[in-house]
Amino acid sequence: MLSDSVGVLKGVGEVKRKALSSMGIDTVGDLLFTVPRAYEDRTKLFGIAEAFSLPYPVCIKATVGTRPKKAILPGRRHVTKCRIFDDWDGAELIFFNRPYVDRQLEMGKEYVFFGRVTVFGSSYQLVNPEFEAVGKGKISGKILPVYHLTEGISRNFMTDIVAKALDRENFIEDFMPSDVLKHYGLISLDSAVRSVHFPQSAEDAKKASARLSFNELTVYSAALSQIKSNLKAGSAPKMKVISLNPFLEKLSFALTGAQKRTINEIFGDMYSGIPMNRLVQGDVGSGKTVVAAAAVYLSFLNGYQSSVIAPTELLAIQHFGYMSKILSPLGAKIELLVGSTTKKEKERIKQSLKSGEIDVLIGTHALLQDDVEFKNAALFVVDEQHRFGVAQREKFGKRGTESHTLVMSATPIPRTLNLIIYGELDVSLIDELPPGRQKIETYAVDESYDQRLFAFIRKQADQKGQVYIVCPLALENEESDLLSAEAYSEKLKKVFPDLKVAMLHGKLKAAEKQAIMASFKSGETDILVSTTVIEVGVDVPNATLMIVRNAERFGLSQLHQLRGRVGRGPRQSYCILVSHSKTPRLKIMEKTDNGFEIAQEDLKIRGPGDFFGLAQHGLPRYSGIVNTADMETIKKAFDFSEKLIKSDPKLEKAENLWLSQRVSALRTKIGSAPLN
Ligand code: ADP
Ligand code: MG
């Protein structure tokens, strides 16, 4: 039975049982549902040169060409060497500490070796491979699973007990109705579990993992729907209808249609008395801040407090400036609370927040601390939410049932992924940029472009445009050959003695960062060499050139965010992506400036798990499967669970018992996260 302890398997004694338990494996079922993290495809045979071009071990078919020679090295280590060859190439075969290997290899006979071909001097070499005679099929001819392991649990042991467990279970019963499987083209649970461990082909492994991800995603999606309906069951201040005209008069521009629509959706939520939990998604520069400011204005006119939280101090300060400019003249009292605010000042702010003197508090996660108490908070705005960690997100969540929450994100992603990551939120899309924006001319170049780069910087400076340069590293580091902001800013100071070059990175003190940013914003600094601290939200309309060094190190969506720092004013802006090799994926950046398209390309290249970064989102963190799931399976699972919830919102029907049980188990497992 799946619920039996793994101790029933032959070879699993007390010590092994404990080691397995530390991996989260207590029962036979746990073991069988612990899926391999990868596979070794040993079904294909490669030539020596072909194998050399691959960064992982493969099977190589070659003939032993010389008699193996054994020698003893200092420290009593054995080394055995001989030459092997195939139709095209030769290689040196080397074994360390395999004293009998010379007797196992016969000159003139053909073998299959499993290993990685490297190069030493001018010769290929193959060190300590596994091997067998051609056609034997013990180490080759199949696909072998690779598991996450722990001390005391070797790969062979793991493979062995999984095989034993599969032998023991005659048939793993399916909980998914068979018509559902048929509809979505999924295999049975029994065959999925069997072939996820020991697939016959890569195609098999894919089908198996799709089926298992489908299970998890269905449960996950149903859990999100429940959380969402719980949120809606709460109550939050019901706002009275206001006129937005005084607010609009303070703006120097007219709102775009998409901004108007989004504001209407937000106001609709806030008029309803049901807690708003809304995500505003809009490409870089689409004007999300003003939308948030409108929501704050509504809350303010209704006599409630609001808070706005940003992921970095720079951004919090910028929001503070922006909101103050619009809302202070309208009578709102606004304060800033960040990590570097002095203790005395913090005390004062906390006091006046509690007494209700402050209408709007803007800050970083410093304002999530428990002793920051509001008198009557009704609105909670979170900017660039994807940058917050899990723990912080859970803190936002606590407020989700009693106040209105507005989340803003600049990473435009397909609807299906929205469901996974923000499944508990309603979504408004700002799919229109303010008028008059020019396309940012983008060039992906290699390092041979360096000299011309300087000429380009000079040209921008002559026209009084400012320049951002982003480096992957803050300070010089001997262990890395990446360019640091420190080194590059020194170089630029020499190249441009008449220009003001400044450096910005996360390790500086908050006050220093602020001063540097202020100087860039005012136009005093011409060139800002920085790390990705400027990635999110920073708004300096006079900046016309963005240069990213070692661009190959960044994801496409991240590059798009960086590029969005320029082109915020009326002038033509440029983005130059410098990489040491011409990386084809960077060419996508030249072609499109549509964040949505870029995200989709990024997703294709990296897959959903990597794209979002497990830790950052935290949502699907309970499972490896969700993170490696392909888009198609994600779509199927959400489609299925949506239909199911529609017909049985509380999962009370007997035929849905399997799901409701799993949903409760999952919700216990992930705590009350993300919201609720
Ligand atoms: P993001 O969506 O990236 O947060 P911001 O809110 O920082 O964008 O807005 C980018 C710039 O566009 C700001 O300078 C802002 O004042 C300006 N802006 C916003 N909405 C409009 C609009 N409707 N027309 C013209 N400019 C706008
Ligand atoms: Mg922004």
Side-chain angles (χ1 to χ4, degrees):
M1 283 230 302
L2 291 178
S3 57
D4 290 342
S5 158
V6 276
V8 303
L9 299 171
K10 209 168 150 232
V12 183
E14 198 44 28
V15 176
K16 296 283 187 206
R17 203 190 53 71
K18 279 203 180 122
L20 286 168
S21 183
S22 78
M23 298 164 68
I25 300 174
D26 294 307
T27 65
V28 172
D30 294 338
L31 177 67
L32 290 180
F33 283 91
T34 300
V35 303
R37 68 172 168 81
Y39 298 95
E40 270 169 13
D41 187 348
R42 300 188 178 196
T43 59
K44 291 190 197 86
L45 297 179
F46 291 85
I48 293 168
E50 273 178 304
F52 172 66
S53 63
L54 297 169
Y56 45 85
V58 292
C59 289
I60 301 142
K61 195 163 117 179
T63 304
V64 172
T66 60
R67 204 168 299 287
K69 270 204 199 111
K70 189 155 78 175
I72 302 201
L73 298 176
R76 310 197 49 150
R77 297 206 312 150
H78 283 86
V79 59
T80 308
K81 293 184 182 176
C82 66
R83 298 283 305 170
I84 54 172
F85 62 88
D86 61 20
D87 288 350
W88 308 98
D89 300 278
E92 185 159 38
L93 181 63
I94 306 174
F95 289 96
F96 290 103
N97 290 329
R98 297 271 300 270
Y100 306 110
V101 79
D102 57 331
R103 290 185 223 161
Q104 296 159 351
L105 288 167
E106 214 176 294
M107 191 167 90
K109 201 171 151 186
E110 204 174 25
Y111 293 88
V112 176
F113 300 93
F114 181 77
R116 245 191 100 174
V117 174
T118 52
V119 125
F120 186 75
S122 59
S123 164
Y124 289 126
Q125 69 173 23
L126 184 55
V127 181
N128 280 356
E130 299 170 44
F131 65 91
E132 67 183 11
V134 170
K136 196 148 182 229
K138 239 189 126 151
I139 66 148
S140 66
K142 43 186 158 190
I143 296 176
L144 290 185
V146 183
Y147 299 94
H148 283 291
L149 299 169
T150 190
E151 212 176 309
I153 304 293
S154 70
R155 175 167 172 200
N156 281 342
F157 177 78
M158 188 74 181
T159 314
D160 185 50
I161 57 172
V162 168
K164 281 184 182 144
L166 285 174
D167 276 348
R168 221 173 149 266
E169 302 299 320
N170 286 331
F171 182 73
I172 297 163
E173 207 168 326
D174 217 318
F175 47 80
M176 208 63 93
S178 58
D179 55 330
V180 173
L181 297 182
K182 207 164 152 205
H183 180 75
Y184 292 105
L186 297 164
I187 62 174
S188 76
L189 190 59
D190 187 71
S191 18
V193 171
R194 282 172 210 282
S195 61
V196 84
H197 294 288
F198 301 110
Q200 297 293 316
S201 63
E203 189 54 31
D204 253 23
K206 219 169 143 185
K207 277 190 191 148
S209 113
R211 166 60 212 265
L212 296 177
S213 330
F214 183 81
N215 290 355
E216 291 204 18
L217 287 163
T218 300
V219 175
Y220 177 67
S221 157
L224 282 180
S225 315
Q226 281 198 350
I227 292 170
K228 187 166 180 172
S229 47
N230 279 358
L231 287 172
K232 295 226 189 275
S235 77
K238 191 172 158 81
M239 305 277 165
K240 284 197 207 65
V241 176
I242 60 144
S243 156
L244 198 56
N245 286 334
F247 175 88
L248 297 176
E249 280 160 19
K250 289 276 173 277
L251 304 179
S252 55
F253 48 76
L255 294 176
T256 62
Q259 283 171 322
K260 281 187 205 152
R261 195 186 64 233
T262 301
I263 290 175
N264 278 335
E265 285 166 355
I266 292 169
F267 280 24
D269 291 345
M270 292 173 72
Y271 292 148
S272 75
I274 296 168
M276 167 169 73
N277 281 285
R278 183 169 292 278
L279 169 69
V280 172
Q281 223 167 39
D283 208 343
V284 190
S286 60
K288 294 182 288 291
T289 319
V290 70
V291 167
V296 168
Y297 180 64
L298 171 62
S299 166
F300 162 66
L301 280 198
N302 273 271
Y304 291 103
Q305 292 173 307
S306 304
S307 59
V308 179
I309 169 166
T312 65
E313 239 176 272
L314 283 180
L315 212 49
I317 292 164
Q318 183 178 290
H319 281 327
F320 177 68
Y322 192 90
M323 301 252 176
S324 300
K325 211 168 83 192
I326 305 176
L327 297 173
S328 298
L330 296 165
K333 176 128 174 56
I334 308 182
E335 294 273 6
L336 176 72
L337 182 70
V338 290
S340 65
T341 309
T342 62
K343 218 169 156 204
K344 206 171 140 205
E345 180 71 356
K346 266 185 197 151
E347 276 319 307
R348 182 189 63 76
I349 291 177
K350 280 190 230 164
Q351 279 307 318
S352 39
L353 191 66
K354 212 167 159 180
S355 69
E357 268 169 70
I358 296 180
D359 301 304
V360 186
L361 183 62
I362 295 178
T364 54
H365 53 267
L367 62 76
L368 285 175
Q369 265 138 27
D370 291 334
D371 61 345
V372 178
E373 291 170 62
F374 292 80
K375 183 174 174 226
N376 63 349
L379 174 65
F380 188 58
V381 179
V382 187
D383 193 18
E384 304 294 353
Q385 194 252 14
H386 67 287
R387 298 285 299 229
F388 288 98
V390 177
Q392 287 150 354
R393 215 181 131 140
E394 284 178 12
K395 282 207 165 174
F396 311 156
K398 291 209 184 97
R399 310 181 186 208
T401 46
E402 39 202 75
S403 62
H404 300 290
T405 306
L406 185 64
V407 162
M408 300 192 286
S409 162
T411 312
I413 52 174
R415 189 189 91 93
T416 330
L417 281 176
N418 265 336
L419 288 174
I420 291 206
I421 294 172
Y422 304 114
E424 75 281 19
L425 305 176
D426 295 313
V427 181
S428 296
L429 199 62
I430 307 189
D431 51 4
E432 182 184 355
L433 292 181
R437 287 276 158 80
Q438 301 191 17
K439 188 168 183 309
I440 300 161
E441 297 232 9
T442 302
Y443 308 97
V445 302
D446 59 31
E447 279 160 1
S448 65
Y449 196 85
D450 263 9
Q451 286 309 313
R452 278 196 285 168
L453 210 55
F454 293 145
F456 210 90
I457 294 173
R458 171 61 71 193
K459 197 170 145 204
Q460 295 305 310
D462 285 348
Q463 298 168 0
K464 298 271 166 286
Q466 289 165 277
V467 182
Y468 286 107
I469 301 175
V470 174
C471 299
L473 218 61
L475 304 174
E476 265 316 89
N477 175 350
E478 279 173 15
E479 270 151 45
S480 170
D481 55 0
L482 298 175
L483 189 63
S484 71
E486 189 182 32
Y488 204 51
S489 61
E490 286 312 313
K491 177 161 182 184
L492 290 169
K493 276 178 197 165
K494 292 202 188 92
V495 179
F496 301 106
D498 57 319
L499 298 179
K500 184 156 185 274
V501 180
M503 171 177 71
L504 182 70
H505 56 76
K507 293 190 181 90
L508 296 173
K509 291 212 181 70
E512 284 177 276
K513 278 191 252 180
Q514 282 166 36
I516 292 166
M517 215 48 228
S519 156
F520 190 62
K521 225 169 178 163
S522 73
E524 194 193 326
T525 296
D526 304 287
I527 304 175
L528 185 63
V529 186
S530 161
T531 57
T532 52
V533 288
I534 53 121
E535 180 192 343
V536 282
V538 173
D539 188 31
V540 179
N542 193 44
T544 51
L545 173 59
M546 163 63 69
I547 296 171
V548 184
R549 305 291 318 216
N550 289 108
E552 75 281 354
R553 303 285 301 198
F554 301 94
L556 293 179
S557 293
Q558 198 178 9
L559 290 174
H560 181 63
Q561 290 286 326
L562 288 170
R563 176 167 63 181
R565 299 307 110 221
V566 298
R568 300 189 147 237
R571 304 239 297 272
Q572 176 63 51
S573 295
Y574 304 88
C575 172
I576 303 181
L577 305 170
V578 188
S579 61
H580 55 59
S581 57
K582 272 220 168 92
T583 321
R585 81 190 164 98
L586 295 180
K587 288 276 163 201
I588 297 160
M589 300 295 298
E590 291 183 349
K591 274 189 233 123
T592 177
D593 60 352
N594 180 324
F596 192 83
E597 268 173 45
I598 289 169
Q600 227 145 7
E601 280 301 321
D602 217 3
L603 208 58
K604 259 193 237 155
I605 298 166
R606 295 196 284 160
D610 186 35
F611 178 76
F612 294 109
L614 309 190
Q616 275 182 4
H617 286 286
L619 278 188
R621 71 184 178 280
Y622 66 94
S623 156
I625 284 197
V626 171
N627 285 297
T628 52
D630 59 300
M631 284 304 287
E632 204 188 332
T633 309
I634 294 174
K635 275 191 195 136
K636 285 177 182 172
F638 276 80
D639 177 68
F640 172 50
S641 112
E642 247 172 46
K643 278 186 195 146
L644 212 138
I645 297 273
K646 212 176 236 166
S647 71
D648 183 11
K650 295 200 160 148
L651 298 178
E652 290 162 328
K653 290 186 188 161
E655 74 252 34
N656 294 330
L657 186 66
W658 64 271
L659 182 58
S660 76
Q661 281 171 346
R662 282 173 173 79
V663 167
S664 330
L666 173 61
R667 292 192 59 192
T668 319
K669 198 163 163 185
I670 59 176
S672 51
L675 286 169
N676 172 24

